[in-house]
Structures are given as C-alpha cells and as structure tokens.
Amino acid sequence: MTPNPAQARHGIHRRHLLQIGGVGLAAAALPFNLFAQDKVKLTIWSWLPDMQAQIDMFVQANPGIEVQLVNAGQGGAEYAALRAGLQAGAGLPDVVQMEFQLLESFRQIKALADIGATANTYRAEFADSTWAQISDGDAVYAMPQDSGPLAMLFRKDILDKHGITPPTSWDEFAVAARALHAADPQVYITNGTFNDGGWTTGLLWQAGWKPFTRDGDTLTIRINDDVAKRFSEFWQPLIAEGVVEAKPAFTTEWYTALDSGRYATWITAGWGPKFLTSFAKTSVGQWRASDLPQWAGTDFIAGNWGGSTLAVMATSAHPAEAALLATFLAVDPAATELYTTKQFLFPTRKALLESTTWANQPFEFYGGQPVNQVYAKAAAAVPAFEWSPFQDFVFQSMTDEFGIWANGTGTMMEAFDRVQAAVVQFATDQGFTVA
Amino acid sequence: MILSPPTPLRRKRSTARRAAPYLFLLPFFALFGVFIVAPLGYALKLSLFRETLVGGTTFVGADNYIRTLGDARLWEGVRNLGLFGAVQIPLMLGLALTFAIVLDRGRMPQKNLFRIGSFLPYAVPSVIAAVVWGYLYGPVFGPFTQAADALGLPAPNFLAPGTMLFSIANIVTWEFVGYNMVIYYAALKAISGDLDEAAKIDGATSWQFARTIQLPLLWPTILITILFAINGTLQLFNEPLLMRALASNTISSSYTPNMYAFSLATSGQQTGYAAAVSFVLGGVIAGISVLFIWVASRRQKVPL
C-alpha cells in the first residue's frame, strides 16, 4: 500500500536517456570486476521501471556475473512473495528491493545478509540519517537506493486567487485551511491520507514521534504519546470542521481531485513532483513546491515518506557477488545518476544531492521552478527514525484504525490509542517484552 | 450367448476389470490428494503451532482454535457476511429464477441476446468488475454523483460504512445472476414437454404452471444454488479486497473472514493462527450448510 517512487512509472520522459555504452565506460572505472571462470548467476527482485538499464551497466562492468531481473510485485505484493519464499525455503532472489521501513522486519526473521564488508567503504557517500536506517554498527543490511523527503506541492493559481500565501508553519496552515474553504466550499487546503501508514508516519516523524525503541527483545512502544496528542489536536478540528478531507490516496477519485483543483496542496515526498506530472493534465504549470510547514519552536525539520533500498538475502548462494550488485546499484555514479534522469528517483547519494545540475534543473510543470532544490533542503533535515520489527503489521493497523476515524467515528487520538493497543498486543503475542 | 472363455483368461480379464474403475478414478484422486487433501493436512498441522518473531515455533495444541472463539475481528467479519448473505442471496437467486422462467416461457424478443447479456458479467474477471464499479461508485467524480449534482439532488455515497455492503452485494449480484440463471434455465429445459402440454390441456396459466409444476421440480436445483451462494458469500474475498483499494477507510483488513485470514498470514506473520481461522470459517460454512439442508428437507415435504 505504501506509495513509492515506482508509482512514477507512468509517462517517464526519455529525453535524458543515456547511452548504455557511454555509461559503461564510466562504470568500468569502478573496482567491481571479477574474473571468475564460471559465470555466477544472480537474481534481483525490483519493481523499479526500466531497472534493466542499470543492471546492464553492472553486467558490463562485471562480465563474470549474470543477472536476472524479476518484477515480483510492488511493495506489499513483493514482501508477501518474499515471506512465502522464506517459508518454503525456495524461489528467493539474491538481491531484493525493499523499502526502508521493512528492513527491520526482515532483519528480525534473519532474512538479510550483513554486507558490511563490501558496503562500509561507501558510508561517507550517504547522509548519517540515511545510513542509520540501513545499518547497525558495522553491520549493513541494505544499500539506500532512493528516498522520499517531505515537502509541499501547492496550486499557485488557487492560493493566489484567494490571497493566501503558502503556509510555512502548521499554525499558518490551519488558518489558510479555514480561510480557503470559507472562500470556496468546493476547495480544500489538502487531503490528508491518514490511513496511509507511510504518509502519516512521515508527518509524525517531522513532529518528533518516536514510536519504537528497541533493546534486544524488549520493545518500547509509544504510539499514542505526546507527539501523537499534539498531532491529533492539530488535525482533529480541521477534519471535524470539514476544511481538510481525509480520503484514501491513489484512487481514480483522488487523481482527479488533485488535478481538478479540489485540493490546493499535496504534502508529498521527493518522488511526488515527478509522479504528479504523470496524471495531472489540466493543472500543468500551476503547481509549485515549498517547504513542509513547521511546528512552532523548532529548527527546520522534515519527515520522510517512502524510498527503497537494495538488500542481499541471507539465503543467497553468492553473497559476495550479490553484495557487489547491491552496492554497485546504490553507489555507481553513472547508474545512480540515471535513476534521477530515467526513473526520476529522489537520490540518496550525497554527491547527487549536492549536484547543482540536478538541483537547479527547472521543471516546466512547476512554472520553471527547480523543485529539486526544495526537496534537497528537506532531505538534509530528515532526522533519524527507528522502525518496528513488524512494520507491515503497524501500517495495516494504522490503515484500519485511521480509516475508521476518517469515516467520522471517534477522535484521531482514539485511533492512536487503538493502534497502540493493537501493536502492544501483537508485540506481546510475537514474544517481545513490551515496555 | 457367448461361450465362457477358459478359466485362466477369465481370471486375468476379471482382475483387469476389477482394477479398471480404480484406474479411472486415479487421476481424480491423485489431483484431489495433491491439491485438496495435502494442503488441508498441512494447514491443519500449521494451525496447531504458533510462530513468533521472538522464540520461534512452538506446539500449542488447540490454543489457536480457542483464541478464535473470542476474536472480535473474526466474528465481526462473519456477522458482516451474514447480513450480506441474508439480503444478497435471495435477491440474486430470485432475479436469476425470474429471468430463467421468463426465458423458458418464451415471452421475450431477442431471447439469445438477453441470455448472453445476463451471463456476460460472469465472464468478466472480478478484478475488472471491481474497477468498473469503483469508477461508477466514485463519491466525487463518479457518474451517479455527477448526475445527482446536475439534478440538484444529494449525491449518494456508495463507499460509506453504511452502504458498502450493499455496494459489494450489487457487484456480486451483477456478477452471478447470469451464472445462476443458466443453471436454472438448463434445469427448466430438462422438465418434460409432456407436463407443459398436459398443463395447457388442463387450462393452466403460465403463472400457475411456473408455480405448481416448474418451481417444485426445480427445488433440488435451487437448493444446490443456495448452498453454492452461502459458500461463496462466506468466502467473499476478491470484491472487498479490490474495493479496499478505493475505500481503504471503510474496508478494514478484517472486513471478511477470508480477508482476515489473509492479512494474518501475510502482514501479521501468524500463519498458525491464520490456518486456525480458516478452519473455523470452514466449520461455520459446513455448519450453516448442514443446518440449511436440514431445514430445507423438512420444508420440502410441504407443497410449495
């Protein structure tokens, strides 16, 4: 369910397509060559469109390794297949695309190999908060592929029409929400996809939410803490007054609503700007990007929604080669640059995040604004975050409980309480000591 | 009369003859064993264990089954579907029966077109059906809402908690009326023409013929379709799962018992408990079916 950069698969522009041969030259400069006699065969699961381009670059640089690319489904579908394979002990890939929030869950069932020996060399290429999510001391469980720092896309035409400036704080956001809906009852400042665990977590992350702290088999669970309370006190009245909607995202209705001007903003991740261009037809040129509104009394902080890693399965028969593949796909300069021009992923490598060519690229869809600048600023302001060792259950519980609330039953805080209760029960059932 | 063959030959032949039925049955039992019995046995085994992230797998005996008894999410799903079936099954089968009788009585121009037309939804994969209906049900931009807006009427919300079951019932009815109609129509065709003739000679109207001759003769077929429908209803999975993509606020991960078992096994990683939930659901279905057959067989003695 978690939206992902791969959803940006529609309408990807090809004008930046690099010639594989040219890229291969650059790739060959990397120390990845193996001179094995028999070709090692690796399987990689990824749902990223056109991933074959990067795979070809790896194969060209490593002629001793054959790589088969398999799309085993996106997000949840892939994890279900992975879990089934783990149960059966067969049919598993060597390298697998996995969203950040699931790493801890698959580590818990010892499904991921420690690739620290290969990966730690590249530690300096990534931001500390990014590296923290894929490692545990010197052990490394995956390589970051892309991320989703949060910012706000807004309809300049709609806000201008009602004399509203893009809110920079959540207080201003609430004022703008009421003013806008009062001025035009057909328009809402935004649609909050609260039943999407990834989206809601991204916003709570910004607010300082720390739902899980782990110490061995002891798990501290604070889902309905003071941060959740402040978050609820902010959104509950806006939803109750009907000035913000809380409908599910990624439905035909939602696509139409975003394009038709029902919502003046979309709070979204770094992969969002490109994804929006894939379905918005009538609002072209009206959108702009600005920073995520801020809570009072803090430094500039953003959250994160989505983004993937490449992990090596512990069951792989060729762990060293698999680690090479995962690392290459995450750090090779040409391969990673291609993500930003072909698949339009939001980069995780510092070299790309700091690249002016990438950051200053103007987008016609956004009135010529270089929106990557906004998102690069957000990427630098994402604090560290700890996920639970059973994150798919947590997201499912959030979907169930926030859905009930979004349909008008009870308060948001009660939904937080129910998620807390369900997760505590689950953790206890799963043998954790809950603190 | 054929002369008896010599004894040894007869013995050989009769051995082969005795083996023949088993050989013919073998493919069925092989497939039945591999695809039904073995998975059931495996699931039964799973249901006796509990797998935990910390501590691994332990034998828990009937614990998983005992836990289902107090599981509000499971029974809420069963209740949802009980409500669903009570409305949807009579509606669907009533429509199917009416269509079949109208077709059979020949009171219809473009008979074949109608027959194919009403069967066609059954041929549409439920994934496609849910996408089409999802568009029609759209609460803001769907055609019903647009029409209501144009007429200045309040727009219906097909995806709200109070209406969702009916919206799904509508899809399922649309999908399966034709299927049941074809079954009834075939059964009606099997009723001897002599009866029709005799009834006409006796001066029976079409309505009288349908009510006193066709319906009683159709009763065993109706019974079977009701059983199929009960079975299908309690196992409802595809349609609500697909509607969940459109209305995740309304349809929870435990909206139907099968969806619950699915989410337990996947995101919940509780395969043992998921297996127990599946067996309990199977037990509920078997129980309701047996109860229904018992009631119906008493009912059958009373003339319709």
Side-chain angles (χ1 to χ4, degrees), chain B residues 49 60 86 95 183 195 205 215-216 254 259:
Chain B
F49 289 85
V60 292
L95 280 174
I183 294 177
L195 287 174
T205 63
L215 268 184
S254 54
M259 285 176 72

Side-chain angles (χ1 to χ4, degrees), chain A residues 328-370:
Chain A
F328 177 95
L329 292 172
V331 300
D332 178 71
T336 51
E337 193 188 341
L338 192 58
Y339 291 135
T340 65
T341 54
K342 189 178 178 73
Q343 286 105 346
F344 287 93
L345 296 189
F346 191 86
T348 48
R349 275 183 68 229
K350 276 201 254 176
L352 279 167
L353 281 166
E354 288 158 8
S355 142
T356 45
T357 331
W358 171 77
N360 296 338
Q361 180 193 347
F363 289 89
E364 279 169 44
F365 187 92
Y366 296 91
Q369 185 189 5

Side-chain angles (χ1 to χ4, degrees), chain A residues 68-341:
Chain A
Q68 195 197 355
L69 172 64
V70 176
N71 183 346
Q74 179 174 333
E78 192 207 63
Y79 309 137
L82 209 54
R83 288 198 195 283
L86 285 163
Q87 285 250 324
L92 292 166
D94 297 282
V95 178
V96 63
Q97 177 178 357
M98 185 173 285
E99 288 158 286
F100 283 96
Q101 69 267 17
L102 263 302
L103 288 174
E104 190 62 25
S105 307
F106 278 93
R107 262 189 71 190
Q108 178 65 41
I109 52 173
K110 301 185 169 53
L112 307 183
D114 174 6
I115 54 169
T118 315
N120 271 320
T121 325
Y122 305 101
R123 183 176 193 139
E125 299 220 12
F126 299 91
D128 285 348
S129 66
T130 308
W131 198 258
Q133 288 196 70
I134 52 111
S135 64
D136 183 4
D138 278 343
V140 178
Y141 292 94
M143 289 301 286
Q145 187 180 30
D146 72 295
S147 72
L150 282 172
M152 185 172 75
L153 299 179
F154 66 93
R155 285 285 297 269
K156 187 175 186 302
D157 55 337
I158 295 175
L159 292 189
D160 282 355
K161 187 178 159 195
H162 300 289
I164 294 169
T165 49
T168 57
S169 72
W170 287 113
D171 287 342
E172 285 176 30
F173 186 89
V175 173
R178 295 186 171 97
L180 185 61
H181 192 64
D184 184 348
Q186 297 298 312
V187 177
Y188 300 82
I189 186 96
T190 203
N191 178 66
T193 359
F194 295 99
N195 82 353
D196 186 316
W199 186 86
T200 305
T201 301
L203 285 184
L204 285 159
W205 185 335
Q206 182 211 20
W209 198 44
K210 288 188 173 55
F212 304 104
T213 316
R214 188 170 177 184
D215 181 12
D217 291 337
T218 303
L219 199 60
T220 309
I221 302 173
R222 296 282 180 270
I223 291 169
N224 54 350
D225 66 353
D226 286 346
V227 175
K229 201 169 169 218
R230 183 169 60 153
F231 191 79
S232 304
E233 280 164 2
F234 177 79
W235 289 104
Q236 176 70 41
L238 296 176
I239 301 289
E241 289 164 36
V243 298
V244 169
E245 289 209 303
K247 295 189 173 168
F250 306 106
T251 65
T252 313
E253 284 276 308
W254 177 83
Y255 292 127
T256 315
L258 266 187
D259 191 25
S260 70
R262 186 177 178 86
Y263 306 128
T265 72
W266 180 30
I267 295 163
T268 189
W271 44 265
K274 182 59 196 173
F275 183 54
L276 181 62
T277 65
S278 68
F279 62 86
K281 301 282 175 264
T282 61
S283 56
V284 178
Q286 308 295 346
W287 290 88
R288 299 290 183 277
S290 70
D291 296 333
L292 193 61
Q294 297 292 304
W295 295 99
T298 59
D299 295 335
F300 183 77
I301 301 176
N304 188 82
W305 177 28
S308 286
T309 69
L310 293 159
V312 173
M313 297 297 290
T315 49
S316 171
H318 308 285
E321 290 84 355
L324 269 191
L325 175 60
T327 325
F328 177 95
L329 292 172
V331 300
D332 178 71
T336 51
E337 193 188 341
L338 192 58
Y339 291 135
T340 65
T341 54

Side-chain angles (χ1 to χ4, degrees), chain B residues 52-293:
Chain B
T52 54
L53 291 172
V54 178
T57 305
T58 42
F59 180 79
V60 292
D63 268 15
N64 285 330
Y65 290 93
I66 293 166
R67 192 178 146 195
T68 59
L69 299 177
D71 191 333
R73 306 193 71 168
L74 169 63
W75 299 110
E76 198 194 308
V78 172
R79 193 192 60 92
N80 272 346
L81 292 184
L83 192 72
F84 178 94
V87 177
Q88 193 266 337
I89 296 176
L91 181 76
M92 171 179 75
L93 297 184
L95 280 174
L97 192 61
T98 311
F99 289 168
I101 290 177
V102 169
L103 265 182
D104 181 62
R105 297 279 76 198
R107 296 282 163 77
M108 180 165 288
Q110 299 297 330
K111 202 166 155 181
N112 286 339
L113 196 71
F114 179 78
R115 198 171 57 196
I116 292 170
S118 53
F119 186 70
L120 207 59
Y122 180 67
V124 175
S126 52
V127 177
I128 308 291
V131 169
V132 171
W133 282 102
Y135 162 72
L136 295 173
Y137 288 159
V140 182
F141 300 101
F144 290 113
T145 308
Q146 302 274 0
D149 283 350
L151 296 170
L153 297 168
N157 186 351
F158 298 104
L159 305 179
T163 48
M164 185 50 102
L165 270 182
F166 296 96
S167 301
I168 296 175
N170 181 43
I171 300 177
V172 175
T173 305
W174 175 82
E175 279 180 306
F176 289 99
V177 160
Y179 169 81
N180 287 294
M181 183 201 75
V182 166
I183 294 177
Y184 292 150
Y185 186 66
L188 285 171
K189 281 287 158 214
I191 294 174
S192 165
D194 294 354
L195 287 174
D196 193 10
E197 212 171 308
K200 273 187 185 136
I201 289 167
D202 286 348
T205 63
S206 261
W207 167 244
Q208 282 172 321
F209 180 68
R211 198 172 58 89
T212 57
I213 311 278
Q214 286 181 310
L215 268 184
L217 286 173
L218 219 52
W219 184 239
T221 311
I222 294 174
L223 206 68
I224 291 290
T225 56
I226 294 176
L227 280 179
F228 281 169
I230 290 175
N231 212 310
T233 297
L234 284 163
Q235 295 194 49
L236 202 65
F237 182 71
N238 277 354
E239 291 80 5
L241 191 76
L242 291 161
M243 293 305 278
R244 182 167 156 82
L246 304 169
S248 45
N249 281 348
T250 305
I251 298 184
S252 74
S253 60
S254 54
Y255 197 70
T256 75
N258 257 351
M259 285 176 72
Y260 183 44
F262 176 76
S263 58
L264 280 172
T266 54
S267 47
Q269 302 178 65
Q270 294 163 308
T271 10
Y273 186 54
V277 164
S278 304
F279 275 102
V280 168
L281 175 64
V284 169
I285 294 174
I288 293 179
S289 301
V290 167
L291 189 75
F292 173 75
I293 291 171

